[in-house]
Every structure is written in C-alpha cells, then in structure tokens.
Amino acid sequence: GEDDGILTAEEISAMNLNGTRWAVLSACETGVGPILTGEGVLGLRRAFEVAGAQTLILSLWAVDDDATRDWMVRLYEARWTEGLDTVQSIRSACLSTLSQRREAGASDHPFYWGAFVATGNWQ
C-alpha cells in the first residue's frame, strides 16, 4: 500500500539489514518496549535484530534534543574519527558530554548524557 510515513517494527523486521554494523535510534525511548514472559523486551530493538543489524544504540528514556544532538556528534567522532569500538565510543561520548556540560555550568545529571545503551555486538 501507500507509505504512511511511519516505520513500524513489523516493517523493520521484514528488511534485510544483514551486514549493517550500527543502527542508531536517537529518538525518545527507542530501547523500551513491552516485556513479555519468554519473549523479553519487544519493539524496535527486536525488529532491528531480526532484520540483521549487528549493533543497536538506543535510548532508555525521553531525551533532550540539544543534549542528544551533542552526544551523537561525540559518538560518531569517537567511532569513525578515533576508531573506537562501540563500548569505547559510548563511554567517550558520555564523558565528553559530561565534561562539556560541567565546563559550561550546565546540569551534569545523567538525563543529559546517560540515556543511550548498546545491544548486540559490542565491537
């Protein structure tokens, strides 16, 4: 049918994402889904895994747009410029964002830098 502009978990799971090293979902609560007995957490995370994405980076709560943009820039710089693995890239983005916020006198609450986690291949 016609594209409604909404990408669903069902549509994602039907994609062929084999060979996709990173799928980064920067919107609010992308790593949250219903917990079903015997199934674990369902939702976007599972759909991307079914489709073949190796690593997912997702948020666990509603995120601040500006803080997320800054964090994402640092994440990609760590990964692609510095050549760090997934875990090191996330750590670097968190520490860099935290440091920058402290230097600017902004809140250093984890809300601004700790929402994102990785699942799948940690490298």
Side-chain angles (χ1 to χ4, degrees):
E2 189 174 315
D3 184 359
D4 62 4
I6 299 171
L7 182 62
T8 66
E10 181 180 12
E11 292 168 332
I12 294 164
S13 64
M15 293 177 175
N16 179 0
L17 298 178
N18 289 324
T20 301
R21 289 189 276 168
W22 265 25
V24 180
L25 309 179
S26 62
C28 297
E29 299 177 341
T30 54
V32 179
I35 299 174
L36 301 176
T37 303
E39 292 291 330
V41 177
L42 301 176
L44 293 176
R45 179 186 63 82
R46 180 141 176 214
F48 274 94
E49 288 174 357
V50 167
Q54 295 174 15
T55 302
L56 291 108
I57 298 176
L58 319 135
S59 66
L60 297 178
W61 56 76
V63 294
D64 177 80
D65 289 341
D66 292 333
T68 296
R69 181 188 60 245
D70 295 343
W71 191 90
M72 287 291 163
V73 167
R74 290 177 172 90
L75 175 72
Y76 282 103
E77 286 174 347
R79 178 64 172 189
W80 306 118
T81 302
E82 298 173 33
L84 302 178
D85 66 25
T86 299
V87 173
Q88 293 169 330
S89 295
I90 289 174
R91 182 178 187 274
S92 177
C94 289
L95 291 175
S96 178
T97 301
L98 180 59
S99 176
Q100 181 273 328
R101 293 188 66 80
R102 286 179 173 164
E103 287 176 17
S107 173
D108 62 2
H109 191 280
F111 169 78
Y112 296 101
W113 55 267
F116 292 94
V117 296
T119 65
N121 184 349
W122 59 272
Q123 297 177 332

